[in-house]
Amino acid sequence: MCTLLPITIDKLTLTAGQKTLLNNISLNITSSGILVIMGPNGAGKSLFMRCLHGLSQPDSGRILFAGDEINQTHRKSQALIFQKPVLLKRSVRQNLEFVRNLHRTDNVASIELALRNVGLSKLASQPANQLSGGERQRLALARALMMRPQMLFLDEACANLDPASVSNIEEVLRQACKDGQKIILITHDIAQAKRLADEVIFLHHGALCEHTPARVFFQSPKSQAARAYLDGQILV
Amino acid sequence: MAQAVGQYLMKQKTLFACLGLIFISFGSVAKGAENPSIVVQSTTSTKNSGLYDYLLPKFTKETGIDVHVVAVGTGAAVRNAMNCDGDVLLVHSQQREEDFVASGYAPRRYALMYNDFILIGPKSDPAQLAGGQDAVAALRKIAAKGYSFISRGDDSGTHIKERALWQMAAFDPTAHSGDWYREVGTGMGATINIAVGLGAYTLSDRATWLKFTNKSDFKILVEGDKRLFNPYGIMRVTKEKCPGANISHAQTFIDWLTSNAGQTLITDYKIDGKTLFFGNSN
Amino acid sequence: MSIFAEATATAFSLIINANADLLEIIGLSMKVSLSALLIACILGLPIGALLGTFDFAFKNTVKGILTALMGMPPVVVGLIVYLHLSRSGLFGALELLYTPTAMIIAQVILITPIIAVLSSQILEDLHEEYRDLFISLVVPPPNALLTYLIEARYSLLTVILAGFGRAISEVGAVMIVGGNIDHLTRVMTTAIALETSKGELALALALGLILLILALFVNFAAQQAKSLLSVQRYGG
C-alpha cells in the first residue's frame, strides 16, 4: 500500500506576473488506483503535477502527504515521467545502472526484469539516444519503476507515441497499480483516460472543476467545461 | 560518489594509460640543467648575428657554465638587468652603460668589441645615397624629400644611435612620424624585413645585416663614417644591487670574453669572409 | 610562391632528418602547453561547473570578468607574470623567470578563462536539460556534477582542444617570461619569431608548417580518444 496517501491539497495558488496559473485548488486524494488529470491546454495540469512532486513551489497553499510537507524522503518514493523523456547519453542498460547506483537500497528491481517489463531486453546495449520515441519513453518508465516508487506521475507520457508502446506502457501501469502503487497521470487522450482512470480531476483556467470517480465523470460530468471538453469543443 | 568515480576511471583505464604515457614521454624531454648557469641580457643584433651560437658552446665546454641569452633591445636589456633579471649585461649604448655603472648596478664597464652601423636601402635608391660616407648628410637628403625611413623606435642601441645622428643633422623626424618616418618598435631583423617590404631606408648594425637572409634587392648605401662607430660593452651586476645574482660565474664569463683568447675568437667570427665584430678590450 | 615550396621542402627535411634542435623545441612546446592545459583543466573545469550549475551572488560578474579575460592579449599576461617573477618582483626569490615553469604559469593564466567560460556554457545547457530529472531522482549535487562532466565529455574535449590551440600558438607571453633562450625556453612560436627576425622566412614558415602538423596530430589523437571513449561506453 502507498504510505504517501492521503494527499491533502489546501488552497494551492501559483501566479506568474498578472496571470493566475493555479487558482486556489483544494482537494483530497485518498484512494489508491489511477488518477487521471484532464483539461484543455494551459489549464495548469503540468504545473499542478510539478507542485505535487516538488519541482515547482506554489505561492501559497500546502500539499501534505499522509500529513507531512513534501521532503526528500517523499520524493525518493515518487517518480515522474516527463512528456519528453530525458535520458543520459549512454546505453539503455547504463541508464538504468545510473539509477540503481544512486541510492543504495535493497529495494531495487533487477535491471533485466525492468527491461523485460517494457520490452527493451534486446536493446540493452544500444545507445539510448538512438532509440525511437516510444522506446525512449518505455526506458524512462523502466527507470522510474526501478526504484519501486509508491507514487508515479506521468505528464502526457504517451503523447505522440506508437500504439505498441502506448499499449505496453498502459499494461505496465495497470500492473504497477495492482502492486499498490498510486498512479497520477495527465493525458489529452480521452480514450486512454477511459481505459485507465479510476478517478478524474478536471482543471480549467488553473481552477479545479471536477474531482469525481471516472465512471461518473465520463457519463455525466457536472461542470459545463468538462462537458464541453468531452464533446470535443474548444475551450477558451 | 567516490565509487562512481572509481568505476568510471576503471572503464577508461586504456585512455588514461595512453595519456600517462604521453606525459611521461614529454617529461623525459625536460633535461636536468645540472650545470651552473648565468643569464645574459643582451641585444637582438648580437643574437641575430649568430655570435652567441659560435662563442657559447666553446665557453661552456671550457668552464662548465651554461649561458642563457635573453635578446631584447638595449633599453629593455638595461631595464631587465636593473630588475636583477640578468647576471651580465652586453649592450651597445655607451651612455646607457655608463649610467648603469654610475647608478651602482655594475662595478665597471668593459669594452668588448665594435663594429659599425650602416645605412641600407633599396637598389633604386631614390635619395641617391649610394657610395656616400657622410651619414648625417644622407639623413638630411632623406628628410628633404621625405623618402620612407624605418626607425627601430624601441629604445635599442641602434635606435639611440639613429636619434643621435638626426640630432647632428639638426632635424626632428618625429614630427613626420607615421608619414615617411616610421617607428616600428621591434628588433633589428624585423625592422629590416619591414624596410624591405616598404622599399624604405633604415639604419642597421653591420653584423645583423651580414647574417640577414631576406635581403631582396637591398644593399649598403652609406658606410665608413666614423660617427657610425658601434662599440659594445659588457658588465656584470653588483652584489649590493642584486644579492641573488651569480657574480663569480658572471665575472668568469667577462674575463673569458675579454681575454686574448676570447678576443681572437670574436674577431675570427666571419660570415662570407667578413668579420662581424672586432675585439677591442685591450 | 617559391618561398612556400622552399618552406615545405625545409619542413620535410627537418622532420625526416629528425633534427635534434627541432625535436627539443617541439618537445618543450608540447611539454609547456600540455602541462599548462592540464593545470588549466584542473582549475577551469570546476570553475565552469560551478558557474554552469550553481547560483550564487555575483555569478554574472564573475562570468563577465572571466569572459573578458578570454580576450586578454598574451603580451599583457606575459608582462604581468614577468613583473611578478622578476628578481625584483613579488616571487623573485623563486627564481622562476626564464624557465619553462614561468611559461607554463603564463599559459595557465591565458587558457584557464577559456576552459572555464566555454565549459560553463556547455554545463549550463546540460543542467537546463537534466535539472528536473535529477531533482526528481534525488541525485546528490556532487554526483550530478560528475554526471554532467561525463555526459558533456565530447563537447568538453573540444573546449580542451581550443585551450590547447591557444596555448601552443601564442608567442607574446612565452617570449617575455621565457626569454626565448636556446636549449632552455625556446619553443616553436618563439623560434618562428626569431627566424623571422633573422630574415630566414622560409625556415620560419617551415617551422610554422611543423606547428600546424603538430596541431593536426594532437587533434587526431583527441579524435581517437573520443572514439575510444564511445566504444567503451557502448561496448558492453
Side-chain angles (χ1 to χ4, degrees):
Chain A
M1 273 312 290
C2 180
T3 59
L4 296 178
L5 292 174
I7 310 173
T8 312
I9 297 151
D10 185 24
K11 293 180 185 137
L12 197 69
T13 300
L14 205 162
T15 54
Q18 298 291 319
K19 241 183 136 190
T20 304
L21 302 175
L22 295 178
N23 189 2
N24 203 24
I25 297 176
S26 296
L27 78 150
N28 283 308
I29 301 167
T30 49
S31 59
S32 59
I34 300 179
L35 169 70
V36 171
I37 304 175
M38 299 188 80
N41 282 329
K45 305 183 296 293
S46 289
L47 196 57
F48 177 61
M49 181 173 274
R50 286 176 64 89
C51 287
L52 287 180
H53 192 42
L55 289 176
S56 296
Q57 298 304 321
D59 295 333
S60 62
R62 293 190 307 166
I63 301 171
L64 301 177
F65 291 90
D68 293 327
E69 299 259 350
I70 187 162
N71 56 37
Q72 292 286 66
T73 321
H74 287 143
R75 207 179 287 122
K76 276 184 191 173
S77 46
Q78 297 180 345
L80 191 148
I81 314 271
F82 299 90
Q83 179 175 3
K84 189 174 168 293
V86 183
L87 302 170
L88 298 174
K89 296 173 189 73
R90 307 179 184 186
S91 74
V92 169
R93 182 194 307 282
Q94 281 160 338
N95 264 279
L96 298 183
E97 282 172 355
F98 175 77
V99 180
R100 189 189 59 189
N101 295 339
L102 269 181
H103 311 295
R104 310 228 142 252
T105 66
D106 294 332
N107 187 25
V108 173
S110 93
I111 287 176
E112 269 56 42
L113 193 67
L115 285 174
R116 201 181 322 139
N117 269 339
V118 296
L120 289 177
S121 299
K122 282 184 184 154
L123 299 175
S125 30
Q126 286 277 319
N129 54 12
Q130 286 177 15
L131 299 180
S132 72
E135 288 162 347
R136 290 170 68 85
Q137 196 57 285
R138 273 144 61 196
L139 177 56
L141 182 61
R143 179 177 62 190
L145 293 174
M146 280 286 294
M147 296 307 298
R148 298 191 193 284
Q150 300 196 28
M151 190 170 286
L152 182 62
F153 297 102
L154 296 98
D155 185 357
E156 296 187 47
C158 294
N160 305 320
L161 297 192
D162 57 293
S165 290
V166 175
S167 159
N168 171 266
I169 289 172
E170 288 184 6
E171 198 178 311
V172 171
L173 292 181
R174 277 195 204 93
Q175 185 56 48
C177 186
K178 268 186 208 155
D179 294 345
Q181 297 176 6
K182 175 70 187 170
I183 294 171
I184 299 180
L185 115 132
I186 296 173
T187 184
H188 274 295
D189 181 348
I190 295 170
Q192 182 179 48
K194 281 180 176 164
R195 286 195 298 273
L196 291 174
D198 294 312
E199 324 173 64
V200 174
I201 287 176
F202 190 84
L203 295 179
H204 187 38
H205 289 318
L208 178 68
C209 296
E210 297 214 33
H211 176 206
T212 43
R215 213 150 35 100
V216 177
F217 178 79
F218 290 116
Q219 278 176 4
S220 50
K222 280 180 290 180
S223 67
Q224 178 62 37
R227 220 171 296 137
Y229 182 77
L230 288 174
D231 280 352
Q233 295 175 21
I234 295 172
L235 290 182
V236 187
Chain B
M1 167 74 186
Q3 201 166 356
V5 180
Q7 278 174 356
Y8 187 72
L9 293 185
M10 280 302 284
K11 282 180 189 160
Q12 310 296 353
K13 61 188 174 211
T14 324
L15 176 68
F16 280 89
C18 293
L19 285 178
L21 274 178
I22 292 173
F23 277 101
I24 290 165
S25 61
F26 288 128
S28 64
V29 174
K31 14 178 250 179
E34 305 300 338
N35 286 348
S37 65
I38 55 171
V39 172
V40 177
Q41 288 288 350
S42 186
T43 67
T44 52
S45 55
T46 42
K47 177 98 167 184
N48 286 359
S49 70
L51 180 68
Y52 293 122
D53 296 334
Y54 159 81
L55 284 178
L56 297 185
K58 297 182 171 65
F59 173 71
T60 303
K61 201 173 159 197
E62 275 183 39
T63 62
I65 299 169
D66 280 337
V67 181
H68 301 318
V69 178
V70 177
V72 286
T74 290
V78 171
R79 192 204 59 227
N80 286 351
M82 282 182 160
N83 284 337
C84 297
D85 295 323
D87 305 297
V88 172
L89 180 66
L90 197 171
V91 291
H92 60 143
S93 171
Q94 200 154 347
Q95 188 56 50
R96 295 292 176 91
E97 293 160 36
E98 279 159 9
D99 291 348
F100 188 73
V101 173
S103 318
Y105 281 96
R108 58 165 289 203
R109 169 188 186 273
Y110 299 81
L112 179 66
M113 60 193 187
Y114 69 90
N115 61 10
D116 58 345
F117 292 105
I118 49 180
L119 196 70
I120 56 172
K123 198 173 156 198
S124 59
D125 189 17
Q128 294 182 320
L129 307 180
Q133 288 192 347
D134 186 335
V136 174
L139 288 186
R140 279 204 197 97
K141 277 191 200 166
I142 292 170
K145 288 272 174 67
Y147 296 113
S148 286
F149 184 91
I150 309 294
S151 167
R152 285 281 292 276
D154 64 346
D155 201 27
S156 61
T158 309
H159 187 214
I160 292 165
K161 170 64 78 179
E162 179 218 311
R163 279 188 305 202
L165 291 171
W166 282 114
Q167 213 160 12
M168 288 178 228
F171 188 87
D172 179 15
T174 55
H176 303 273
S177 187
D179 182 15
W180 57 267
Y181 183 74
R182 299 183 182 178
E183 297 173 275
V184 292
T186 183
M188 192 67 252
T191 302
I192 303 178
N193 274 334
I194 294 168
V196 168
L198 294 176
Y201 295 101
T202 194
L203 186 74
S204 171
D205 65 286
R206 188 179 291 274
T208 304
W209 171 251
L210 285 177
K211 183 82 176 175
F212 196 75
T213 323
N214 183 33
K215 285 191 173 87
S216 185
D217 68 343
F218 266 49
K219 55 182 196 171
I220 299 174
L221 300 172
V222 178
E223 60 183 326
D225 188 330
K226 66 177 186 302
R227 288 171 293 191
L228 290 175
F229 183 60
N230 179 26
Y232 287 80
I234 188 167
M235 58 229 81
R236 65 158 176 86
V237 294
T238 55
K239 196 94 203 165
E240 290 70 34
K241 288 285 187 186
C242 299
N246 200 338
I247 304 281
S248 66
H249 290 132
Q251 190 63 50
T252 307
F253 184 56
I254 292 173
D255 292 344
W256 187 82
L257 282 177
T258 52
S259 70
N260 282 335
Q263 291 286 298
T264 311
L265 279 176
I266 289 174
T267 309
D268 281 352
Y269 179 56
K270 291 188 171 79
I271 290 174
D272 296 336
K274 287 173 188 151
T275 294
L276 272 67
F277 300 97
F278 299 90
N280 67 341
S281 69
N282 303 315
Chain C
M1 284 300 109
S2 74
I3 191 160
F4 289 102
E6 196 187 334
T8 313
T10 314
F12 276 108
S13 98
L14 283 172
I15 294 168
I16 288 163
N17 299 328
N19 182 287
D21 283 349
L22 178 71
L23 289 182
E24 191 183 61
I25 292 172
I26 291 176
L28 186 68
S29 285
M30 294 297 272
K31 184 189 150 199
V32 167
S33 293
L34 284 176
S35 306
L37 186 66
L38 186 71
I39 297 168
C41 285
I42 291 170
L43 295 173
L45 288 178
I47 296 174
L50 209 64
L51 286 174
T53 62
F54 285 93
D55 283 319
F56 52 88
F58 304 119
K59 173 171 157 166
N60 284 331
T61 314
V62 172
K63 209 166 168 180
I65 290 171
L66 280 174
T67 309
L69 289 180
M70 276 171 72
M72 183 106 115
V75 184
V76 176
V77 173
L79 202 55
I80 292 168
V81 175
Y82 167 79
L83 289 172
H84 283 88
L85 296 186
S86 165
R87 276 191 191 146
S88 59
L90 201 54
F91 304 107
L94 300 175
E95 305 217 335
L96 288 177
L97 193 65
Y98 305 138
T99 64
T101 310
M103 299 156 85
I104 293 170
I105 292 170
Q107 292 195 347
V108 166
I109 294 172
L110 266 177
I111 62 177
T112 301
I114 295 179
I115 302 221
V117 171
L118 294 185
S119 64
S120 81
Q121 197 51 55
I122 288 167
L123 294 172
E124 194 174 323
D125 292 347
L126 267 183
H127 185 53
E128 201 66 28
E129 188 181 348
Y130 287 109
R131 179 170 42 205
D132 282 350
L133 177 69
F134 284 5
I135 293 173
S136 172
L137 292 174
V138 197
V139 180
N143 207 328
L145 211 53
L146 179 73
T147 308
Y148 290 150
L149 290 178
I150 295 172
E151 288 297 299
R153 58 197 178 276
Y154 300 148
S155 316
L156 290 179
L157 192 65
T158 310
V159 170
I160 291 170
L161 284 176
F164 178 76
R166 166 105 156 152
I168 194 93
S169 65
E170 77 85 21
V171 57
V174 291
M175 185 65 100
I176 295 175
V177 303
N180 189 26
I181 296 170
D182 209 2
H183 302 301
L184 184 69
T185 56
R186 182 162 304 163
V187 290
M188 292 299 287
T189 51
T190 58
I192 292 169
L194 177 67
E195 295 308 332
T196 305
S197 76
K198 284 182 183 169
E200 298 276 4
L201 302 191
L203 180 55
L205 197 56
L207 291 174
L209 282 176
I210 293 170
L211 187 63
L212 191 66
I213 293 169
L214 216 59
L216 282 172
F217 172 78
V218 168
N219 277 280
F220 178 73
Q223 291 302 322
Q224 290 303 107
K226 190 170 158 176
S227 61
L228 203 67
L229 278 168
S230 69
V231 164
Q232 292 206 343
R233 296 247 44 108
Y234 295 133

